[in-house]
Amino acid sequence: MLALLRTFSWQELRHHPWRNAAAAVAVMLGVALAFSVHLINASALGEFASAVRAVNGQPDLELRSVQGNLDESLFARAATHPQVVLASPVLELSTYAIAPGPDRRRVPVRVVGVDALTVAAMSPALMPLPAPGADRLALLAPSTVFLNPAAMAALVPGGLAGASGPSLQLQSALALRAVSVAGTVNAPGAPLVVMDIGAAQDLFGAAGRLSRIDLRLQPGTDRSAFIASLRLPAGVTAGEPGDAAERVSNLSRAYRVNLTVLALVALFTGAFLVFSVLSLSVARRAQQFALLGVLGLTPRQRLRLVLVESLLLGAAGSAAGIALGTALAALALRLLGGDLGGGFFAGVAPPLQWEGAAALLYGLLGVAAAGVGGWWPARAAQHLPPAQTLKGLGAALQTGQHRAVPLLLIAAGVLLAQTPPVAGIPLAAYVSVGLLLVGGITALPWLIGLTYDRLAPWVSRRLLPLLAVERARRVRESAAVAVSGVVASLSLAVALTVMVASFRDSVTHWLDVVLPADLYVRAAMGTGAADTVYFPPELVREVAKLPGVKRLATQRFVPLQLDPARPAVALISRDGDGMGRGTALVGEALPVPEGQIGIWVSEAMVDLYGARPGQVFAPLSAFFRPGPSAEQSFSATFFVAGVWRDYARQSGAIVIDRHDYERLTGDRRVNDLALWLADGADAAQVQAAVRRAAGSGAPGADGLDTGLEFASAAQIRATSLRIFDRSFAVTYWLQAVAIAIGLFGVAASFSAQVLARRKEFGLLAHLGLTRRQILAVVAGEGAAWTAIGALAGLLLGLAVSVVLVKVVNPQSFHWTMDLAAPWGRLLALCAAVVAAGTVTAWLSGRAAAGRDAVLAVKEDW
């Protein structure tokens, strides 16, 4: 009997390779996409964490400031503490390096100033290695730097020829300072420049300031008691050295999880395709199963037989998916680096880090998906009545469920959509999406009956449409099985289309609000270099007086570490002539009470820090301490006057009036300029005037090359939308894959059903229908079935899109958006599915409506 069962299953897989290949390919693509996304993100995160560990070294504690830099006097207190074995001061800066040569590439780099006496013991990867023939004490020399491999490749591709290295330029404010390359360091990661901490302080005007202090403690030291004994000033925190990598991991976690879930869309669709293929296979082989039952095969053995077939399909698809996913990940890392569009690992080019445990997990997911898809067909094979089935009775596919089941699934999905996230991940929302899809698909027989019961009277006098509609009505379970794969894929494609369109539409409107000026001038590309690359106050005043400039507004970016476990919050100081201008406010702004300072927070601040409108945001007060040039010394109270949408920073942003910020800190530096031009002013002439002012107004501008970036609102808008489209490129591919799998499933389902209906076609031919008419009936069935599938997919997709837009995105990224349905694209998508299903049914019918179909009728004579 065992040999007979093996032969039975093998013959089924061998004689119907294309239909079974459809299910295996669906599983393969799902596993490949999910596994490749995991490998890319794991490789990028591992490389980033490795670089952070190399740069941070192996201290026990790090002292950092939540605002700006540390005062150097704190180092003396920490270094002389009896429980401190070693203290190492570090100055970290982000700036731009200008490569030598005619092209003068402007490369963003990270500058790390270290103490030559402690760096080898604390951070070996930052220990300078002088070039052959160079002075061993070159690290102590002013204006001397050492580059890591990434910086060498970007700035000195030819390498170091001798003791006298090439000369580079590092940007400080708008001036370029010449430095010479004396050697290398072994630190991995993005371009890194290492120099003596004193030389770095002098070069960047940071005398007396530190970024962090690394501490190594006596063995057995109680860290909590030690931190308390230091009596750290307000705004200084002591954290673990791995906090930086952990913060980036937490920041990118939502993006990684969402990408993985979207990649599993193909696997979810594959489960329905396995269900469809095996359901039709069981229906076609019903009499064979019945004969095996008469020969002694028990119902449980029939169940196991179909399950084994589904698991074999899943195993084959998973094995191929792991191989394909590895190849896709390697190709993506080679071509795109570690950044899949989220911007979290920009500049990181990691090698592929293959994980056997992850490969096993995703392979098992593929097998499990195939097993779940094969469970219901296996149950159908188990419950076949052998005697009735052998007589041609009871062999019809029975998958109908009580009407309450889909309603309960949909209701549970709606309730779960209201559940808050778990550890910042919308797990309940993902389950809600799954329940909505399963509930909607299980309701297909009811939807088919509801639709075609009302359509039947309209076609009762037309033979060919009547045959197509009546078959859909009478075998609604088979119709539901045939289109379940396309419903799953189409609904998810519709949901992703609506989500991306809503996001893009919201970003477009947001850009229209936040870009009110005619011309924008930027000194630094991001907040990381905001303290190093900036406009001096005297230059801002000079630009405001230039001909053609009607009005000028400024912005200053400062990172604030409000929570050591989270990424820094962006504090934005800007001109406050009505803070609603240039900020996409959600609701109305509140009046600021007398004696308090108004702030406007992004939506992420509300979710992550509880900064609600009308309340005092106490955490910010603790981190404002007056700078050396501040006019007053007082404790400020910050009132949340409004909430605004910020699609640029998911970790949170706070807007404060420029005058309030300068009064509290004494910091008058500026990072961005917004210029409103006078009527008739030429933008190119204004740009040239700003460049001339920057060249003459920047102090110490030896070898000046400002590197200023000018852009109009339209240019920034176009660039931002191009970045947006690149970020969602993976999503677009996932949509295409899901639709392709669904259509492949329709083709497999119709092929199986049409080939199994040769006797029916033969009978119709004997009754006088021509081959063309039979093909018209088959095509009509295809149109009828895929039309109801397209309708169900559209409705389900719209329901899922509401969950994605209104629940998943706010819970994952802490921003809201307006729902926008691109009806033209959605209807075109549905029309394409119906057309593909109709053509597929017609092509399948051609193979079964010929002479063989007529001869097949003799089998019943």
Side-chain angles (χ1 to χ4, degrees):
M1 178 63 73
L2 184 60
L4 176 63
L5 295 179
R6 284 200 299 264
T7 302
F8 183 72
S9 294
W10 172 248
Q11 290 299 322
E12 168 63 18
L13 296 175
R14 186 169 67 89
H15 286 296
H16 302 282
W18 291 108
R19 187 180 68 231
N20 294 305
V25 166
V27 174
M28 177 192 72
L29 290 176
V31 172
L33 289 171
F35 186 54
S36 62
V37 168
H38 171 82
L39 286 182
I40 292 169
N41 282 296
S43 299
L45 187 59
E47 181 76 4
F48 180 83
S50 174
V52 169
R53 286 193 299 270
V55 174
N56 288 3
Q58 300 91 30
D60 296 318
L61 286 177
E62 293 177 349
L63 304 184
R64 289 182 179 269
S65 173
V66 298
Q67 175 198 351
N69 295 305
L70 295 169
D71 193 299
E72 203 171 42
S73 61
L74 182 59
F75 172 73
R77 189 198 311 175
T80 56
H81 194 285
Q83 292 178 298
V84 173
V85 176
L86 184 66
S88 177
V90 179
L91 177 64
E92 296 175 306
L93 300 164
S94 294
T95 185
Y96 298 93
I98 309 300
D103 56 346
R104 294 180 60 79
R105 292 189 310 278
R106 191 168 182 250
V107 179
V109 297
R110 184 180 177 191
V111 178
V112 179
V114 298
D115 183 355
L117 302 178
T118 61
V119 64
M122 190 70 74
S123 305
L126 296 181
M127 183 62 191
L129 303 174
D135 187 353
R136 291 184 302 171
L137 301 180
L139 174 61
L140 301 177
S143 302
T144 302
V145 298
F146 298 80
L147 309 181
N148 77 333
M152 287 290 295
L155 297 170
V156 192
L160 301 179
S164 57
S167 177
L168 305 177
Q169 290 178 314
L170 298 178
Q171 186 169 353
S172 175
L174 296 183
L176 297 180
R177 311 296 188 184
V179 295
S180 60
V181 181
T184 60
V185 294
N186 290 326
L192 183 70
V193 176
V194 176
M195 61 190 307
D196 176 66
I197 187 169
Q201 289 174 328
D202 292 340
L203 188 70
F204 293 100
R209 290 187 289 166
L210 303 174
S211 298
R212 73 173 196 263
I213 301 173
D214 295 338
L215 302 178
R216 187 168 295 169
L217 307 179
Q218 295 282 0
T221 299
D222 185 332
R223 298 192 181 189
S224 299
F226 168 75
I227 294 172
S229 67
L230 278 179
R231 296 189 299 277
L232 296 175
V236 178
T237 62
E240 300 290 337
D243 286 348
E246 185 67 21
R247 284 193 295 269
V248 172
S249 176
N250 292 338
L251 179 64
S252 64
R253 182 178 57 185
Y255 183 77
R256 290 182 281 122
V257 170
N258 276 280
L259 266 185
T260 302
V261 170
L262 291 178
L264 291 173
V265 163
L267 193 57
F268 180 85
T269 308
F272 279 99
L273 190 49
V274 171
F275 164 70
S276 176
V277 167
L278 289 181
S279 293
L280 297 173
S281 175
V282 168
R284 188 183 58 81
R285 295 183 294 164
Q287 291 185 333
Q288 300 174 26
F289 279 113
L291 179 59
L292 290 174
V294 172
L295 294 176
L297 191 68
T298 66
R300 184 173 292 274
Q301 288 175 322
R302 294 200 298 268
L303 172 79
R304 292 176 180 173
L305 180 63
V306 178
L307 278 180
V308 166
E309 292 179 5
S310 68
L311 294 177
L312 287 175
L313 290 176
S318 295
I322 294 298
L324 179 60
T326 302
L328 289 176
L331 182 64
L333 290 174
R334 178 183 295 271
L335 298 179
L336 305 175
D339 188 12
L340 273 180
F344 303 107
F345 305 108
V348 177
L352 178 67
Q353 298 181 13
W354 200 84
E355 298 180 3
L360 179 62
L361 173 62
Y362 284 99
L364 291 176
L365 280 176
V367 174
V372 170
W375 173 254
W376 282 273
R379 293 275 293 176
Q382 180 186 20
H383 294 300
L384 280 176
Q388 295 181 16
T389 304
L390 283 175
K391 295 178 181 179
L393 304 173
L397 187 65
Q398 297 295 330
T399 59
Q401 300 287 341
H402 194 276
R403 190 174 300 177
V405 173
L407 294 178
L408 288 175
L409 290 173
I410 293 173
V414 173
L415 291 176
L416 279 176
Q418 316 301 319
T419 306
V422 178
I425 301 298
L427 296 178
Y430 294 139
V431 178
S432 169
V433 168
L435 290 177
L436 289 175
L437 291 172
V438 174
I441 290 172
T442 54
L444 278 176
W446 171 79
L447 179 62
I448 291 172
L450 180 68
T451 303
Y452 290 115
D453 284 348
R454 284 155 179 76
L455 184 62
W458 294 87
V459 296
S460 59
R461 297 182 180 275
R462 299 181 180 180
L463 176 62
L464 299 184
L466 175 64
L467 290 175
V469 170
E470 283 298 317
R471 176 166 175 81
R473 289 179 63 202
R474 303 302 177 186
V475 291
R476 60 189 66 176
E477 287 82 9
S478 296
V481 169
V483 300
S484 61
V486 77
V487 171
S489 61
L490 180 61
S491 59
L492 289 166
V494 167
L496 292 177
T497 300
V498 173
M499 183 197 71
V500 174
S502 300
F503 198 1
R504 199 178 195 277
D505 188 65
S506 296
V507 169
T508 301
H509 291 308
W510 176 73
L511 290 171
D512 292 339
V513 174
V514 300
L515 298 173
D518 300 314
L519 183 65
Y520 292 86
V521 190
R522 169 168 288 186
M525 285 298 294
T527 57
D531 283 344
T532 310
V533 182
Y534 55 87
F535 296 101
E538 56 274 15
L539 176 60
V540 175
R541 291 192 293 268
E542 186 174 350
V543 171
K545 300 175 182 178
L546 290 176
V549 176
K550 182 171 67 175
R551 177 169 163 253
L552 179 145
T554 64
Q555 283 196 139
R556 169 85 170 111
F557 300 94
V558 179
L560 286 182
Q561 197 70 54
L562 295 181
D563 186 345
R566 293 192 175 111
V569 171
L571 178 67
I572 305 173
S573 160
R574 52 175 298 170
D575 293 316
D577 52 338
M579 291 304 293
R581 178 182 296 182
T583 53
L585 287 177
V586 180
E588 297 293 330
L590 302 176
V592 180
E594 188 70 25
Q596 298 189 23
I597 296 175
I599 59 173
W600 290 258
V601 300
S602 68
E603 293 173 309
M605 294 297 300
V606 179
D607 291 343
L608 299 176
Y609 298 95
R612 305 191 181 282
Q615 298 180 358
V616 172
F617 188 53
L620 189 60
S621 302
F623 302 125
F624 264 100
R625 58 188 191 279
S629 59
E631 300 172 1
Q632 302 183 43
S633 176
F634 60 91
S635 178
T637 302
F638 297 93
F639 177 82
V640 181
V643 178
W644 58 288
R645 286 182 178 176
D646 181 18
Y647 295 126
R649 293 162 285 264
Q650 74 179 71
S651 56
I654 302 172
V655 171
I656 187 173
D657 179 78
R658 177 173 62 89
H659 299 292
D660 290 330
Y661 174 78
E662 292 180 359
R663 186 160 50 92
L664 288 170
T665 64
D667 181 7
R668 290 178 170 80
R669 290 173 290 183
V670 171
N671 299 116
D672 285 0
L673 301 177
L675 307 180
W676 283 261
L677 305 183
D679 294 338
D682 183 79
Q685 294 180 0
V686 173
Q687 289 185 29
V690 173
R691 292 187 187 278
R692 288 193 298 271
S696 61
D702 47 315
L704 183 68
D705 181 0
T706 60
L708 299 182
E709 297 190 12
F710 295 84
S712 65
Q715 290 172 329
I716 297 176
R717 186 175 181 272
T719 301
S720 301
L721 293 178
R722 186 165 58 250
I723 294 173
F724 176 92
D725 292 334
R726 185 191 66 187
S727 300
F728 281 90
V730 176
T731 306
Y732 299 142
W733 279 105
L734 291 173
Q735 287 178 269
V737 169
I739 289 295
I741 292 175
L743 293 178
F744 202 11
V746 170
S749 300
F750 274 109
S751 297
Q753 291 208 26
V754 167
L755 291 175
R757 294 166 57 197
R758 290 184 305 143
K759 296 178 183 179
E760 176 187 335
F761 295 147
L763 179 60
L764 292 176
H766 278 289
L767 292 177
L769 268 70
T770 65
R771 186 170 184 268
R772 176 174 296 181
Q773 288 175 318
I774 294 174
L775 291 178
V777 171
V778 175
E781 291 176 7
W785 290 14
T786 51
I788 202 69
L791 175 62
L794 179 62
L795 295 176
L796 274 178
L798 292 175
V800 171
S801 68
V802 173
V803 178
L804 294 179
V805 171
K806 299 298 183 181
V807 181
V808 172
N809 270 288
Q811 290 186 0
S812 296
F813 304 107
H814 312 292
W815 52 51
T816 61
M817 63 185 75
D818 300 320
L819 190 67
W823 291 109
R825 269 183 285 167
L826 297 180
L827 293 177
L829 192 60
C830 294
V833 169
V834 173
T838 304
V839 172
T840 299
W842 182 80
L843 291 174
S844 301
R846 293 186 62 187
R851 184 169 178 270
D852 290 341
V854 178
L855 296 177
V857 181
K858 295 181 179 180
E859 297 175 9
D860 286 337
W861 293 354

